[in-house]
Amino acid sequence: MAYRNAIPTPPGAEAKPAPQFDSLRQQYEADTLGMWIFLASEILFFGGLFMAYVIYRAAYPEAFEAASGRLDLLLGGINTAILLTSSLTMTLADDAVLPRNRKALIGWLAVTALLGTVFLVIKGVEYSVEFAAHLAPIFGRPFDFPEPHTEQARLFFSFYFALTGLHALHLFIGIVVVLIMLALAIRGVPRLEAKVTIAGLYWHLVDLIWVFVFPLLYLAAHHG
Amino acid sequence: MTADISVRKNYLNRDYSIASWLTTIDHKRIAWLYLVSITAFFFFGGAAATLIRLELATPAGDVVETETYNRLFSLHGIVMVWFFLVPSIPATLGNFLIPLMIGARDVAFPRLNLLSWYLYVIGGTFTLAMAIAGGVDTGWTFYTPYSSLFANGQVVLAVVGVIVAGFSSILTGLNFIVTVHNMRAPGLHWTRLPLFVWANYATAIIMVLATPVLAITLLLIALERIFGIGIFDPKVGGDPVLFQHLFWFYSHPAVYIMILPGMGVVSEIITCFARKRIFGYDGMAFALLAIALIGFLVWGHHLFVAGESVYAGVIFSLLSFMVAVPSGIKVFNWAATLYKGSVSFETPMLYALGFVGLFTVGGLTGITVAATAVDVHVHDTYFVIAHFHYIMVGGMVMAYFGGLHFWWPKMTGRIYPDRWGRIAAITIFVGFNLTFFPQFVLGYLGMPRRYHTYPDEFQLLNVLSSAGAPVLAIGYLLPLVYLLYSLKWGPVAGPNPWDAKGLEWQTPSPPPEHNFDRLPVVTQEPYAYGLPKRDSDAARS
Amino acid sequence: MAGMDAVSDTPLLPQASTLAERVDALFFTLVGVDVVMVLVLSGLIVGFAVHYRRGARVNRTTDAPETKTEIVWSLGLLAVFLAIFVWAAHLYVEEASPPNNALEIHAIGKQWMWKFQHQNGRREINELHVPLGVPVKVVLATQDVIHSFFVPAFRVKQDLVPGRFRTVWFTPSRIGRYHLFCAEYCGLDHSRMRGRVIVMEPAEYEAWLADVSAEPSPAQGEKLFSSLGCIACHGAGSKVAAPPLAGIFGKPVPLKGGRTVIADETYIRDSILTPEKQVVAGYEPIMPSFAGRVNESDLTRLIAYIKSLSGEEGRP
């Protein structure tokens, strides 16, 4: 967040805020506050689903643990590492936003988008394995899970696909946003500070949601 | 007061093309886009209500088929809640007035504001498509497993429409919060904020934090129907009551989305026509926030007989009584504002006084349904129907009409015929009570809601209720006529026809494109209606 | 169905359970509080508005202590509300816990009918007979969607939730026939999912319970079977292709479309009223609906006859 110090003295006299604002500082504060409010809204969006999951997990602990054991902990773990790393690279991009660091900014944004894409690819591999193993209770496909937990395992996998699917959708949007930032940076558009910070806030939220999704789904079978 | 509005440049006459309207990012024009579209939905939902009342005039199902009836009340609920009540005051009057009232050139995110309207229109299009393709028969509450596994009809279209409209309301709320935080004119401290702005601010908090839960809940229904994912499916151990918890976690706070802005409007009108500062400003602002926050904790009072635990029921009941206290403060303060005032009875004031009366009845019967043991009897009966129509129609719609009449001269620069305004206000008040009061009795006698046919002994009260409906309908159609008439033939209003305080009255009517020719500086409280009059105007110069 | 609703010689909303008068006491106290508050508030508003109307020559100087008045008013309001809360919650908690000696009756709701089974196995549909003065606990389950068991005269209501058992209890205190409504919207014929609760003297109830002859006899059903013309198609040696009924009761029946159902009371009932909905595999949907031509008791008689064709009285 190094640019913070840069805000009171906007770089370049030509810098002008949007017409509804009096100053760049006011505009920056409005933009950031708007993003934080949006993130609060997003947290409530996933919160509803987490709440439902937690209630069912408490109601059917054995079935959920058994079903959780069928997830690929290794791939899930790798994905967690990838996403956490991408948050780091996003922060580094944010840190490199001042004009003199343009190359670093472009580099870190590209790495961030790449890591996000790798995450989605690995997720896709997981999905295809689960589809092949008849663990996807959607589109009326056969669902194969040993008794006595067949029914509630269905419930678990409903949550699994709903949660990871919605998360993947958010990550996809995040990748698009980062790519847009990347394009702006390559074209040399000035004053990307606020934009990159706000894109970063969103990226970190998507990461943060995964930090909850991963233990809830993958580690349910492996609690102490 | 003699400025000729056809000469002066303002937000209306700067460009007349349709494209200039559909691509506008001016909050005042966006308010008009909303005004036109929600009016259409209001009469659409009203038409469904008319057919419902017609059907219920006799105990047998003789006007429409049962299936049609079920689709009508579902359509009525979905359209009125999400496409009229939720956006009504915030998206029209709120959009138009908040920047004016806080001395800003626009909202913080004008493009996002336009996007909100387009999302609303897309959501509305889904809803219309749903209705044309045959509708849904789930009720506006979409209870599972009926909606997810049993209902025929366009459930997916319906929930997608609501979800999209929900995002529109999230973005509006986000815009309002940031605008109020960041865009206030110099000197406009939080304690000088008009109560209308406070009310919309509190509403915006609910919109931002409750609506996403509705979105995910309805999305799960859509996923269940499209993909077969079964999160509420009892066959795999899913809990249909969990759906109700999630649904009401949004939909009860949404009730406050549907009333808080009305409270804001009424506070502005009563102070103006009593020519007196509001009684207990701090208490009023505090009450708005208290209602918004406690409102998040009372959803379980919709589930007293759905099988939540007795302890949960008792706690939710207690919290529901708590949320009634700030509402009580507000009613009391409105009454006290009239004390030692100088009261006049123009159209907006009649609506505002009507609001206070009907809201009081709605609120007190809310106490009745919050009382657990009584709710067990009246839950899902016409008592509840009457109660929430007193809040939403008697409250919000009265306030909406009152606000529209109060700020109409500001929005259009013209004055409507006040005599017709008063006639319409009284017609609506009478028609409303005729329609909905009998439903309290019906509900206590045990008539369940969503009944196409009913036992003969309930007929008398149903006929009374149905007889009120046409009166109410005439009351709603009258303003449509004379307000449109005033657009062309109404006398020029001038900047401040009511001699009201507030920044929005210090700029010409209609306002210029960027609201103020010179940005205002605020030096006093919002309701400086000092007696003798006009002293505050002197203070300005 | 109109005849079913006739509830003779009772006031519009009788107090027919011990709970009813207690709920009414609370309800009418609340109505009283509401009326007083509405009168006081609207009196204040109208009074102030008229007295201080524009142009009236009245003293308008004021220094009303705002915060103090507000605090007094809100504390007063809070006290009234808390009193109501305690009263209502007390009653609600009591309502939730049935006494141990309560008579247990099982109920099943399905789209769109009520089925009851008494302790000795006697069953009834859309009617519930209960003894006067005895606590009755109804155990509620649903076969499909959410329904709600609502007897206004008893002031009780309880939702039936799929996959869960719920209970509702009451002590009938007045002889008579009362409405039973489904109060939770449950689809097409929600408003026709109505029945009657019949409160009888305990001795009468015992007799009713024991009176097996009142249970529909197969012989009566057999007469209907021929008089209604069922026999023309379903009878032995009929030329019309209709599934034979001998021995089907309690057995699985393959349906068109691949599903299978058990031929229980519900299935037979549905086949008579809405034959086109569940057609047996290999047959054409040619059977007309008998809805409106047979009443509830005829239905139970027909079902009894079809049961008897399976050789034993009912299934386990």
Side-chain angles (χ1 to χ4, degrees), chain B residues 32 48 176 270 291 337 492 539:
Chain B
W32 275 101
F176 284 0
I270 287 185
I291 293 171
T337 301
V492 171

Side-chain angles (χ1 to χ4, degrees), chain B residues 137 333 341 343 377 379, chain C residues 54 60 70 157 179 185 194:
Chain B
D137 67 341
N333 284 6
V343 185
H377 175 57
H379 177 76
Chain C
R54 185 129 343 141
R60 289 193 166 90
E70 273 179 318
K157 184 180 289 126
H179 286 301
Y185 177 69
R194 294 183 236 159

Side-chain angles (χ1 to χ4, degrees), chain B residues 346-386:
Chain B
E346 282 88 350
T347 308
M349 187 61 163
L350 291 187
Y351 278 110
L353 293 178
F355 168 96
V356 178
L358 298 179
F359 174 74
T360 304
V361 175
L364 286 169
T365 50
I367 288 300
T368 310
V369 292
T372 36
V374 173
D375 184 65
V376 169
H377 175 57
V378 296
H379 177 76
D380 270 340
T381 69
Y382 266 83
F383 192 93
V384 173
I385 304 287

Side-chain angles (χ1 to χ4, degrees), chain A:
Chain A
M1 300 223 168
Y3 58 87
R4 253 234 171 110
N5 305 324
I7 287 298
T9 51
E14 81 288 353
K16 267 206 187 108
Q20 71 272 26
F21 293 110
D22 294 330
S23 67
L24 274 176
R25 188 188 182 88
Q26 189 190 20
Q27 176 167 0
Y28 166 74
E29 280 171 357
D31 288 349
T32 323
L33 179 63
M35 194 61 200
W36 278 107
I37 292 168
F38 180 72
L39 297 188
S41 194
E42 284 277 23
I43 286 170
L44 266 292
F45 181 81
F46 277 94
L49 203 49
F50 283 144
M51 198 65 224
Y53 174 85
V54 167
I55 286 167
Y56 285 140
R57 165 100 163 73
Y60 314 113
E62 287 153 19
F64 271 43
E65 279 160 30
S68 165
R70 298 288 295 276
L71 296 181
D72 193 325
L73 187 59
L74 179 65
L75 287 183
I78 292 173
N79 254 350
T80 308
I82 289 175
L83 214 51
L84 288 175
T85 312
S86 79
S87 256
L88 173 68
T89 58
M90 189 71 218
T91 309
L92 290 171
D94 194 3
D95 214 40
V97 78
L98 290 183
R100 62 175 180 276
N101 298 329
R102 207 178 112 211
K103 274 201 181 128
L105 173 65
I106 291 171
W108 289 125
L109 284 175
V111 172
T112 308
L114 182 70
L115 287 173
T117 313
V118 171
F119 177 98
L120 287 184
V121 170
I122 293 180
K123 196 74 233 159
V125 171
E126 277 187 77
Y127 278 171
S128 66
V129 171
E130 282 140 9
F131 268 70
H134 296 313
L135 288 174
I138 59 178
F139 290 129
R141 291 172 55 89
F143 183 74
D144 229 0
F145 199 87
E147 290 289 346
H149 297 311
T150 319
E151 298 302 301
Q152 282 104 45
R154 250 187 107 92
L155 200 53
F156 175 89
F157 279 99
S158 290
F159 273 107
Y160 169 77
F161 282 101
L163 272 168
T164 55
L166 282 173
H167 176 265
L169 178 67
H170 277 76
L171 186 59
F172 177 76
I173 294 170
I175 293 171
V176 170
V177 169
V178 170
L179 288 177
I180 292 173
M181 293 302 127
L182 185 61
L184 294 179
I186 289 171
R187 279 172 49 196
V189 175
R191 296 199 322 282
L192 282 175
E193 295 92 335
K195 289 195 180 71
V196 172
T197 308
I198 285 165
L201 282 175
Y202 179 79
W203 189 269
H204 296 316
L205 178 90
V206 175
D207 186 16
L208 188 69
I209 288 168
W210 182 259
V211 169
F212 283 88
V213 171
F214 177 67
L216 280 177
L217 293 173
Y218 288 79
L219 300 183
H222 304 273
H223 64 87

Side-chain angles (χ1 to χ4, degrees), chain B residues 204-446:
Chain B
I205 293 175
I206 305 176
M207 284 174 160
V208 165
L209 295 182
T211 319
V213 179
L214 175 80
I216 185 68
T217 310
L218 294 185
L219 187 64
L220 289 175
I221 289 189
L223 292 180
E224 193 150 346
R225 289 187 73 100
I226 300 171
F227 297 111
I229 276 180
I231 283 177
F232 303 117
D233 182 355
K235 279 200 292 296
V236 297
D239 185 355
V241 179
L242 178 65
F243 171 85
Q244 298 179 23
H245 278 287
L246 291 170
F247 179 83
W248 289 110
F249 181 84
Y250 162 78
S251 290
H252 196 80
V255 171
Y256 300 112
I257 295 179
M258 297 181 235
I259 194 66
L260 291 177
M263 293 172 161
V265 166
V266 166
S267 301
E268 300 295 325
I269 295 176
I270 287 185
T271 50
C272 174
F273 292 95
R275 306 228 60 77
K276 190 160 160 280
R277 60 186 293 278
I278 194 97
F279 186 92
Y281 172 87
D282 293 348
M284 292 298 256
F286 170 78
L288 288 166
L289 289 179
I291 293 171
L293 297 180
I294 306 174
F296 272 101
L297 307 173
V298 301
W299 78 87
H301 67 211
H302 294 268
L303 285 82
F304 287 156
V305 302
E308 68 183 354
S309 82
V310 181
Y311 306 104
V314 169
I315 301 277
F316 281 122
S317 168
L318 179 63
L319 288 163
S320 307
F321 281 99
M322 294 293 148
V323 81
V325 174
S327 301
I329 294 178
K330 300 202 75 82
V331 172
F332 179 77
N333 284 6
W334 287 319
T337 301
L338 300 175
Y339 174 68
K340 302 262 182 184
S342 171
V343 185
S344 65
F345 301 93
E346 282 88 350
T347 308
M349 187 61 163
L350 291 187
Y351 278 110
L353 293 178
F355 168 96
V356 178
L358 298 179
F359 174 74
T360 304
V361 175
L364 286 169
T365 50
I367 288 300
T368 310
V369 292
T372 36
V374 173
D375 184 65
V376 169
H377 175 57
V378 296
H379 177 76
D380 270 340
T381 69
Y382 266 83
F383 192 93
V384 173
I385 304 287
H387 154 68
F388 74 69
H389 279 88
Y390 264 79
I391 299 283
M392 290 177 191
V393 185
M396 189 66 157
V397 180
M398 288 296 264
Y400 171 64
F401 274 66
L404 209 54
H405 285 83
F406 187 50
W407 284 292
W408 187 259
K410 177 55 58 187
M411 297 170 77
T412 65
R414 302 283 185 168
I415 293 215
Y416 51 86
D418 193 57
R419 174 197 294 266
W420 280 103
R422 293 188 213 196
I423 291 173
I426 291 168
T427 311
I428 291 175
F429 185 81
V430 171
F432 175 82
N433 281 300
L434 261 177
T435 310
F436 290 100
F437 196 82
Q439 298 185 3
F440 280 124
V441 187
L442 264 180
Y444 170 70
L445 293 179

Side-chain angles (χ1 to χ4, degrees), chain B residues 61 66-67 70 73 137-139 143-146 150 234 237-241 244 272-281 283-284 304-310 313-314 317-318 321-322 324-325 328-329 331-333 335-336 338-345 353 356 360-361 364-365 367-368 371-381 383 444-455 457-458 531, chain C residues 2 5 7 12-13 15 23-24 26-28 30-31 33-35 37-38 41 44-46 48-50 52-55 58-62 64-67 69-70 73-75 77-78 81-82 84-85 87-93 95-96 111-112 143-146 148 150-164 166 179-194:
Chain B
T66 306
E67 189 162 359
N70 295 346
F73 73 67
D137 67 341
T138 57
Y143 272 17
T144 54
Y146 184 71
F150 288 81
D239 185 355
V241 179
Q244 298 179 23
C272 174
F273 292 95
R275 306 228 60 77
K276 190 160 160 280
R277 60 186 293 278
I278 194 97
F279 186 92
Y281 172 87
M284 292 298 256
F304 287 156
V305 302
E308 68 183 354
S309 82
V310 181
V314 169
S317 168
L318 179 63
F321 281 99
M322 294 293 148
V325 174
I329 294 178
V331 172
F332 179 77
N333 284 6
L338 300 175
Y339 174 68
K340 302 262 182 184
S342 171
V343 185
S344 65
F345 301 93
L353 293 178
V356 178
T360 304
V361 175
L364 286 169
T365 50
I367 288 300
T368 310
T372 36
V374 173
D375 184 65
V376 169
H377 175 57
V378 296
H379 177 76
D380 270 340
T381 69
F383 192 93
Y444 170 70
L445 293 179
M447 177 159 164
R449 67 193 288 195
R450 297 173 173 176
Y451 260 31
H452 178 229
T453 64
Y454 56 85
E457 66 256 36
F458 296 145
L531 291 170
Chain C
D5 289 323
V7 176
L12 262 177
L13 185 66
Q15 296 178 330
V23 170
D24 278 2
L26 173 57
F27 179 80
F28 286 108
L30 277 169
V31 171
V33 171
D34 291 357
V35 170
M37 285 210 195
V38 168
L41 284 167
L44 281 179
I45 289 169
V46 173
F48 287 156
V50 172
Y52 296 108
R53 69 191 176 278
R54 185 129 343 141
V58 285
N59 176 14
R60 289 193 166 90
T61 51
T62 170
E66 295 193 352
T67 315
T69 334
E70 273 179 318
W73 160 254
S74 2
L75 288 182
L77 211 53
L78 187 63
F81 288 171
L82 282 182
I84 299 167
F85 160 73
W87 186 354
H90 179 72
L91 212 53
Y92 178 68
V93 171
E95 242 177 288
Q111 288 174 324
W112 293 274
Q143 241 168 274
D144 37 50
V145 299
I146 300 176
S148 191
F150 177 32
V151 182
F154 293 169
R155 314 289 189 275
V156 294
K157 184 180 289 126
Q158 176 62 52
D159 286 4
L160 289 67
V161 180
R164 307 272 190 279
R166 303 282 187 223
H179 286 301
L180 161 63
F181 291 131
C182 175
E184 182 62 65
Y185 177 69
C186 58
L188 184 69
D189 273 333
H190 166 56
S191 70
R192 293 182 184 83
M193 189 168 161
R194 294 183 236 159

